[in-house]
Amino acid sequence: MGMSVSMTGMAEVLGNLAELQTMLPEEITAVQEDVGQQTVDLCQQTSPVRTGEMRDGFAYEVSNGVLTVYNPVEHSLYVEMGTYKMAAQPTLYPAFAQMGSEFLNECRAI
C-alpha cells in the first residue's frame, strides 16, 4: 500500500509545468530530478527511525513529465497520517511543502 498527498493549487502548477515541459523538456526534467532527490533527502533526514526501513524506503521517479516521491513501506502511511492509537509523525507532507517553493523557484530560473 502506497501513500499519496495532495496539495491545494497543484492543478495550476501541473498545468504550468505541462506547458513548460513542452518548451523546455530537458531543463524541466533536470529540475524535477534535482528537487526529487532533495525531497527524498529531506524525508530521510526527518523520518522517525526504529529499524530504518521506512527512512530507507523513500524514493522518487520522474516519468512522462511527472515527479513522484513515494515510500512503498506499508507502515509509512500510518506514521505519516497517524492512527487512533498513535499521533501522526508527518515526513512527506512537510518535505513537499518546503520543496514546492524550491521547485517553482528553480523553474522560474530557467
Side-chain angles (χ1 to χ4, degrees), residues 29-45 55-56 58-62 67-70 95-96 99 102-103 106:
T29 299
V31 169
Q32 290 174 314
E33 292 283 346
D34 181 50
V35 170
Q37 186 59 58
Q38 288 182 55
T39 304
V40 167
D41 292 345
L42 187 57
C43 287
Q44 289 175 333
Q45 291 168 13
R55 177 199 59 218
D56 297 341
F58 288 103
Y60 78 94
E61 63 183 47
V62 176
L67 167 63
T68 304
V69 179
Y70 61 94
F96 287 150
M99 294 309 300
E102 178 68 25
F103 178 76
E106 287 192 35

Side-chain angles (χ1 to χ4, degrees), residues 1-13:
M1 174 199 295
M3 174 173 63
S4 93
V5 175
S6 67
M7 296 174 68
T8 305
M10 287 306 295
E12 182 180 347
V13 170

Side-chain angles (χ1 to χ4, degrees), residues 2-110:
M3 174 173 63
S4 93
V5 175
S6 67
M7 296 174 68
T8 305
M10 287 306 295
E12 182 180 347
V13 170
L14 291 174
N16 292 339
L17 179 59
E19 183 179 335
L20 278 173
Q21 187 72 31
T22 61
M23 297 184 316
L24 304 163
E26 294 164 6
E27 291 86 348
I28 296 299
T29 299
V31 169
Q32 290 174 314
E33 292 283 346
D34 181 50
V35 170
Q37 186 59 58
Q38 288 182 55
T39 304
V40 167
D41 292 345
L42 187 57
C43 287
Q44 289 175 333
Q45 291 168 13
T46 60
S47 176
V49 178
R50 270 187 146 159
T51 66
E53 179 185 27
M54 189 176 104
R55 177 199 59 218
D56 297 341
F58 288 103
Y60 78 94
E61 63 183 47
V62 176
S63 178
N64 297 320
V66 176
L67 167 63
T68 304
V69 179
Y70 61 94
N71 192 327
V73 176
E74 186 173 341
H75 67 272
S76 66
L77 174 64
Y78 305 116
V79 174
E80 182 81 18
M81 305 304 285
T83 68
Y84 74 96
K85 292 183 176 184
M86 177 182 79
Q89 299 177 65
T91 301
L92 267 173
Y93 184 79
F96 287 150
Q98 181 176 336
M99 294 309 300
S101 60
E102 178 68 25
F103 178 76
L104 293 175
N105 290 337
E106 287 192 35
C107 285
R108 285 183 188 121
I110 294 176

